[in-house]
Amino acid sequence: MNRRVERGASGGTRRAIVAVALLTVLGIIATFVAGPIRDWWVPPWQPLPQTPFDWSPRIELLAGDGHRGAHDGAAGAVRFDEPWGLVRGRDGSLFVVDGGEANRIRRIVADGTVSTFAGSTEGFVDGVGSAAKFHTPSSVAADVFGNLYVADTGNHAIRKVWPQGEVTTLAGTGIAGFRDGDGAQAQFRAPMGVAVDLFGRVFVADTWNDRIRMIDRDGRVRTIAGGDAPGFVDGAGDVVRFDTPTSLTLDGDGNVWIADIGNRALRRIDGEGTTHTHALPAGTRPLAVAATRDGHLYVADLSPGRILQLRPDGEARMLTGERTTQWFARPSALWVEPDGNLLVADAAGHRLHRIVVHDGASPMPADDDAVGPAPERALPDTGQRWPLAPQDGWHEVVGTMGEVRGNFRGESRSHLHNGLDIRGDVGSTVLSIANAKVATPLAAWSFGGQAEGLAIDELSYVHMRVGRTPQGRNLDPSRFQLVPGDDGRPARVRIPRGTRFKVGDALGTINAQAHVHLIVGPNGYQHNAIRLGYRNYVDTVPPRIDRVFLLDAHDLPKTHRENGRVLVPRSGGAQIVVDAWDQVDGNLPRRRLGLHKVGYQILAADGAALPGYGEPRIGIDFSRMPAHPGAVKVAYAANSGITVHGAARTRFLYVASNVVRADEMAVMHWQPGELPAGDYIIRAYAEDASGNVAIGARDLQVTLVDAWPPSLPDGTTATQ
């Protein structure tokens, strides 16, 4: 890297710099024993361990119980609020940057004990241990002397934490801006990424300035790549354009690798100072990147939270994330251990994990350890407020979690609805329902589209003009950055990580969808937003079951009847479909909502429950959003949704015999052959999120028969 940084120097100057650098490295080696230095410098005569590319990973829990907090103690009981950065220190300790409301640097020693190393409440104060204060810190790096360097995002500064826990400000004034020069006068804008090389130079991903900066050993700050606005251009110097770079790492050849999340790209600055783009699988939004000694890279994908591995030749594989049970909530930091294992900080999962290289000598355990936030975690404190004025009034609920939704291409079962819809007039101001701050670097999305939205910590607000009035004026320039397009008109909105919003703050205005879509939790771990509670919201109306019917394994209806009962062959399976819907108090009579839970019982002809069916078997449960995108066609039968253009109501045809709940998804046909031939009742069960149990045509009378097709009175046979 010194070639790039000093390429304008004379030959004599270069030789002097190289000599000083070599003396520095030799001094380091002389100062420390081989053990601590081996993670930083490998002699050229020592072969590098080869990183496998076809290894079988297993996810193990390292620390954290999946609940938010800042509790120290044993690894299994400790709590993190937002673990964002990871680095292994010179003494072998693992240091964790805990952002969110923790604003601390945590330390994990060899026995797994977690303690607070520096930081306390939010602020911008130098000092020792808990006297120091950070504001939404993100990444962390360590030098060979044991000093830590922290990207203090909310303070627009780079902080240095000395081995004894003293915190000082290396560069930045605490005020957002852009200025090179002496560290005390230099300015950053919400920097998120930091790395340090063997010579003590600190590299910074200056995220909302869209630049890569470097702090020399003398404390001076310079820009090494990036220009005045976000963009996507390779090259050198200020010709280069990045878009919200979040993380960076140094490889063994001195290249700087950058997770350029806004461009969905992996970028590299080589030793000559030239920026290159390296391909990633389509759709990847790189949030964090880490390099191995032999040229492999690991990339954390923002959502769904997968981890990718890239070989030096560019070939990529999905290391974890093929199954939804492996999705991290927001993998924000990666650290490669000397033994090849990979550490992951899952910021929105409030946990640390280890991805273990399986050696093949012992059987691979069947299941990974728990991933993501704890299912029973506390939800945000919203005080039962509504996202519209009056916040303590009543508003009509027009959509609930799990409802079937179509698309504009004619598919009526395109996806499941992942939140709560609250009706509002077009142009009405959307209001914050909790005190919280922005966590993700891509907090706003779909500018100008119907699904435009904003995420503030665990809450997302959708179907609005983010940060804008109906006329397009900026509601608050100090928070919302309107980025112009090529025509000079606003093309997107950016909100820096660490930006705070208070209850009642304006977030935007309702677009043509005429409602606010409220989501609780990160992708893959979204809870039913009705659990937040809303003032003056009342639901005493029981859901209504219109009919229960059967389909065979090929989705053909079983319609043949005898004596008013549906004849069902004991051979083969059947799908139990429940046509049902819900309402809440005060809604318009035409408004149909989806259900919360659906199941069934098999009863004897006299209504007595059969063994194993004393309680309904609940196969569909929308307490938490199903993670798998194919769940919609498992939960709902064909002809569900709004099947005719312009139709006023949605049809909810639930396949009650299937399983769709959280991470579980399975097609589970009812097996009539498990029962003797005879008469039975299939009783559908359904309830809404308030616990009201469904009424209506919930029973289907059936007769199980051995002979099929059944005989008709004229001696012929019937077919379905």
Side-chain angles (χ1 to χ4, degrees):
M1 287 301 299
N2 58 305
R3 288 183 298 164
R4 182 190 74 246
V5 177
E6 305 291 350
R7 65 181 183 273
S10 66
T13 303
R14 290 179 180 173
R15 286 191 293 273
I17 291 170
V18 171
V20 170
L22 288 174
L23 288 172
T24 301
V25 173
L26 290 173
I28 293 169
I29 296 170
T31 302
F32 302 108
V33 297
I37 203 68
R38 67 177 181 270
D39 292 342
W40 300 98
W41 182 78
V42 179
W45 57 85
Q46 179 179 324
L48 289 171
Q50 295 299 305
T51 301
F53 190 68
D54 56 353
W55 54 290
S56 298
R58 168 174 160 72
I59 302 174
E60 296 181 347
L61 180 62
L62 181 61
D65 66 359
H67 294 268
R68 300 190 74 157
H71 304 329
D72 292 335
V78 71
R79 290 188 174 177
F80 299 97
D81 193 87
E82 190 196 40
W84 198 281
L86 284 178
V87 71
R88 183 72 71 179
R90 183 175 64 86
D91 64 354
S93 298
L94 182 66
F95 291 93
V96 183
V97 171
D98 198 2
E101 299 299 339
N103 298 297
R104 291 166 167 84
I105 311 301
R106 318 283 290 279
R107 181 182 187 180
I108 307 177
V109 295
D111 67 359
T113 302
V114 180
S115 61
T116 296
F117 188 61
S120 53
T121 57
E122 184 174 291
F124 189 21
V125 178
D126 288 341
V128 178
S130 61
K133 293 187 178 183
F134 300 90
H135 181 348
T136 323
S138 299
S139 298
V140 61
D143 66 18
V144 294
F145 298 103
N147 301 302
L148 305 180
Y149 299 88
V150 179
D152 194 2
T153 307
N155 282 323
H156 315 288
I158 305 301
R159 314 291 289 282
K160 182 175 181 178
V161 186
W162 299 76
Q164 296 76 27
E166 181 184 2
V167 178
T168 58
T169 299
L170 181 66
T173 63
I175 300 173
F178 172 70
R179 184 165 60 216
D180 283 339
D182 181 73
Q185 281 76 47
Q187 288 186 316
F188 302 87
R189 189 180 301 276
M192 288 183 59
V194 65
V196 61
D197 68 9
L198 279 172
F199 305 102
R201 298 174 302 189
V202 179
F203 296 83
V204 179
D206 193 1
T207 307
W208 273 270
N209 275 324
D210 304 292
R211 292 173 167 94
I212 306 302
R213 318 278 291 280
M214 189 182 74
I215 307 172
D216 280 317
R217 293 186 63 184
D218 63 3
R220 293 188 63 80
V221 178
R222 69 177 73 182
T223 299
I224 61 175
D228 291 335
F232 197 5
V233 179
D234 285 340
D238 59 6
V239 171
V240 179
R241 292 292 183 270
F242 299 98
D243 189 335
T244 325
T246 57
S247 172
L248 46 77
T249 190
L250 302 170
D251 68 15
D253 295 325
N255 296 296
V256 181
W257 292 88
I258 300 124
D260 191 7
I261 195 169
N263 284 319
R264 299 175 180 249
L266 185 63
R267 314 290 291 278
R268 175 176 63 92
I269 304 176
D270 65 20
E272 300 297 332
T274 302
T275 299
H276 311 264
T277 297
H278 292 260
L280 286 173
T284 304
R285 292 181 290 177
L287 181 59
V289 59
T292 69
R293 292 168 173 169
D294 56 344
H296 288 248
L297 294 171
Y298 293 106
V299 176
D301 191 6
L302 173 64
S303 179
R306 305 169 298 181
I307 307 298
L308 308 178
Q309 182 181 4
L310 279 68
R311 285 198 319 203
D313 62 5
E315 183 178 349
R317 64 171 292 215
M318 188 186 301
L319 183 65
T320 66
E322 291 184 352
R323 304 188 307 274
T324 57
T325 54
Q326 293 182 328
W327 287 1
F328 297 108
R330 186 177 297 131
S332 53
L334 303 171
W335 176 262
V336 181
E337 295 278 65
D339 61 5
N341 292 331
L342 184 68
L343 305 186
V344 181
D346 188 8
H350 322 299
R351 305 183 199 254
L352 307 179
H353 298 272
R354 180 189 293 110
I355 301 179
V356 179
V357 178
H358 187 244
D359 57 12
S362 57
M364 171 69 83
D367 298 315
D368 296 307
D369 287 347
V371 171
E376 67 278 11
R377 73 189 187 279
L379 297 183
D381 180 10
T382 64
Q384 298 186 315
R385 303 176 190 89
W386 296 86
L388 298 169
Q391 290 196 279
D392 58 354
W394 176 88
H395 298 271
E396 186 179 12
V397 171
V398 297
T400 59
M401 175 173 279
E403 292 182 0
V404 59
R405 289 289 188 269
N407 58 28
F408 295 109
R409 298 183 296 277
E411 171 57 71
S412 65
R413 294 183 296 164
S414 168
H415 59 279
L416 294 173
H417 191 248
N418 65 348
L420 186 73
D421 286 348
I422 301 160
R423 198 197 71 79
D425 294 334
V426 174
S428 297
T429 302
V430 180
L431 306 174
S432 173
I433 62 175
N435 296 321
K437 57 184 175 181
V438 169
T440 175
L442 298 181
W445 59 87
S446 300
F447 184 90
Q450 295 296 312
E452 184 176 354
L454 168 65
I456 305 173
D457 199 12
E458 291 193 74
L459 298 172
S460 295
Y461 308 76
V462 190
H463 301 314
M464 63 175 178
R465 303 173 185 86
V466 174
R468 312 189 304 285
T469 68
Q471 297 76 31
R473 293 191 299 273
N474 195 329
L475 286 170
D476 185 352
S478 68
R479 288 176 171 146
F480 303 103
Q481 177 190 6
L482 299 184
V483 180
D486 293 337
D487 59 0
R489 301 172 63 184
R492 56 190 287 207
V493 179
R494 296 203 300 180
I495 306 97
R497 170 171 157 79
T499 301
R500 277 205 174 273
F501 290 88
K502 297 185 297 183
V503 168
D505 283 349
L507 307 179
T509 50
I510 294 179
N511 63 21
Q513 287 288 302
H515 67 268
V516 180
H517 178 65
L518 190 63
I519 304 172
V520 180
N523 182 46
Y525 301 95
Q526 295 154 343
H527 279 261
N528 197 323
I530 205 70
R531 288 183 54 201
L532 295 175
Y534 301 89
R535 296 179 188 175
N536 300 311
Y537 172 83
V538 178
D539 180 9
T540 63
V541 182
R544 183 82 189 181
I545 297 176
D546 285 340
R547 61 174 177 144
V548 181
F549 61 96
L550 299 178
L551 300 174
D552 67 14
H554 304 288
D555 293 336
L556 298 175
K558 293 181 179 292
T559 58
H560 189 71
R561 290 178 178 267
E562 188 174 284
N563 299 322
R565 293 178 172 273
V566 175
L567 297 183
V568 181
R570 294 181 64 245
S571 60
Q575 302 178 68
I576 301 172
V577 182
V578 180
D579 185 353
W581 49 280
D582 189 30
Q583 285 188 316
V584 299
D585 298 63
N587 271 15
L588 296 174
R590 65 178 175 83
R591 187 79 66 197
R592 291 192 171 190
L593 303 175
L595 301 177
H596 185 60
K597 295 180 181 180
V598 182
Y600 70 98
Q601 288 176 285
I602 306 298
L603 310 177
D606 62 359
L610 297 180
Y613 289 96
E615 296 294 332
R617 294 185 177 181
I618 305 298
I620 298 175
D621 186 340
F622 293 125
S623 300
R624 202 183 99 188
M625 179 67 183
H628 199 286
V632 62
K633 292 186 178 179
V634 177
Y636 291 95
N639 298 316
S640 295
I642 299 176
T643 56
V644 178
H645 181 70
R649 66 187 188 187
T650 303
R651 297 184 67 191
F652 301 109
L653 305 179
Y654 297 94
V655 185
S657 49
N658 287 342
V659 173
V660 175
R661 52 177 179 255
D663 293 324
E664 300 178 74
M665 185 182 75
V667 174
M668 301 284 288
H669 293 166
W670 171 51
Q671 300 297 325
E674 295 176 353
L675 298 173
D679 294 342
Y680 298 90
I681 299 172
I682 299 175
R683 176 165 293 170
Y685 178 90
E687 65 178 67
D688 60 23
S690 298
N692 298 306
V693 177
I695 60 175
R698 58 182 185 151
D699 289 352
L700 178 66
Q701 310 281 340
V702 300
T703 298
L704 305 188
V705 296
D706 290 317
W708 193 266
S711 297
L712 296 177
D714 61 2
T716 61
T717 58
T719 59
Q720 296 194 87

